[in-house]
Amino acid sequence: MIAKQLSWGFSPARVALLARNRMLDDLPAFGIVLGLVAGINILSLVFLKRALFNSSDGQAWFFVMSLSGAFLAAGAFKAMHRGKSGCDWLLLPATACEQYTAAFISCFVVFPAAFMLAGMGLSYILALLERVMGSAGSDIWIPFKTIKAMDFAGLLAAMAIFFAGSAKFRKLPLLKTAGIYTGFIVVLSILFSLSLLALGQKIAAGSSLFLKFASEDGLGKMGRGLSIGLRIFFLGIMPAFALVYGYFCVNEKEARDEVQ
């Protein structure tokens, strides 16, 4: 029966059920995070008469959102790697593509939306408590106004990296992925520094091909081009590659376990 159902191909209904189950599994951790945030702010209300997180820039809320997103993405496939849980994962009446899609929706669609909505609600309650305690009240966190587009894109890009790490590594995916990514940045920085050194040597040698880059206009154009290139690479190419790589890791894991 399961084989017959799976032969129908990709099923949005199965994806929706898998995503719902994931949300229910993640709900306790989500509640704990919000509870910790509420506890910290209540303590600040008692001692400082203001909600600590309700600042005009909303950076505290975004920091918690980023940290929570990284942990969520790094644990997206933990059930796939664990003994009995791994067997349960394999026996689910869903394809690897459907399970991967459900995990993607849970991490990259449901989590940001749920956190922002819950954060705004909690921020509003904290602002009311401030007024009850006699304070003028602080700024309510409105993520659509305080979170910059590039910062949000950076968060999703980082989550994509950890998402792939969760699919690849059985143990300590957060630490291993962070270590590999840091090493990659160090190597890239070294190569970039060597390239700049070589460019400086060409300019110092009076090469006509490189002298035009030494002008203020040339350096400005090169800097703008480099900035755009880095954004495309780190916010577009790398996350896309990570998501594709993560899918192949999940697909390989399922195919290998089925053979065993």
Side-chain angles (χ1 to χ4, degrees):
M1 181 64 179
I2 291 176
K4 182 179 178 181
Q5 288 179 335
L6 295 184
S7 67
W8 293 346
F10 187 86
S11 170
R14 284 198 296 265
V15 171
L17 288 173
L18 289 168
R20 183 202 64 182
N21 292 339
R22 278 184 165 272
M23 285 186 285
L24 293 175
D25 290 339
D26 294 334
L27 193 58
F30 187 76
I32 290 173
V33 170
L34 289 179
L36 288 173
V37 171
I40 292 171
N41 281 277
I42 288 173
L43 286 175
S44 71
L45 280 172
V46 172
F47 293 103
L48 303 176
K49 306 301 181 183
R50 61 178 295 271
L52 190 62
F53 277 45
N54 278 4
S55 59
S56 58
D57 58 11
Q59 289 299 309
W61 291 103
F62 185 69
F63 173 77
V64 174
M65 180 180 175
S66 301
L67 194 62
S68 302
F71 275 96
L72 178 66
F77 300 102
K78 59 185 177 181
M80 183 179 73
H81 296 295
R82 291 179 181 171
K84 184 177 181 300
S85 296
C87 294
D88 293 340
W89 167 280
L90 183 63
L91 293 174
L92 281 173
T95 64
C97 181
E98 290 168 345
Q99 296 191 63
Y100 191 78
T101 303
F104 178 88
I105 292 173
S106 177
C107 287
F108 294 92
V109 179
V110 175
F111 165 74
F115 189 94
M116 287 189 286
L117 289 174
M120 281 193 296
L122 180 57
S123 178
Y124 180 75
I125 293 173
L126 291 170
L128 288 179
L129 290 176
E130 285 181 321
R131 290 176 172 80
V132 169
M133 298 179 68
S135 173
S138 56
D139 295 307
I140 298 171
W141 182 53
I142 302 177
F144 313 106
K145 291 184 178 180
T146 58
I147 299 178
K148 298 178 181 178
M150 293 303 298
D151 292 338
F152 188 69
L155 168 59
L156 296 181
M159 287 178 62
I161 302 297
F162 288 114
F163 194 71
S166 178
K168 175 63 178 177
F169 300 116
R170 186 170 66 89
K171 295 181 179 179
L172 303 176
L174 184 68
L175 294 178
K176 290 180 180 178
T177 305
I180 291 175
Y181 186 71
T182 301
F184 172 77
I185 296 298
V186 170
V187 171
L188 195 64
S189 299
I190 293 174
L191 293 176
F192 179 69
S193 299
L194 292 175
S195 299
L196 286 180
L197 181 61
L199 178 61
Q201 290 175 344
K202 291 289 185 179
I203 293 173
S207 172
S208 59
L209 181 62
F210 293 96
L211 276 175
K212 61 182 180 180
F213 289 110
S215 66
E216 183 176 346
D217 183 58
L219 290 174
K221 289 181 179 179
M222 186 171 66
R224 288 190 293 273
L226 180 62
S227 176
I228 293 173
L230 288 175
R231 288 182 181 182
I232 292 174
F233 180 74
F234 283 105
L235 300 181
I237 297 175
M238 275 196 68
F241 173 80
L243 291 174
V244 173
Y245 177 76
Y247 169 72
F248 280 109
C249 287
V250 172
N251 194 55
E252 179 188 13
K253 168 72 174 177
E254 185 162 301
R256 184 173 64 247
D257 288 354
E258 282 180 350
V259 172
Q260 293 175 350

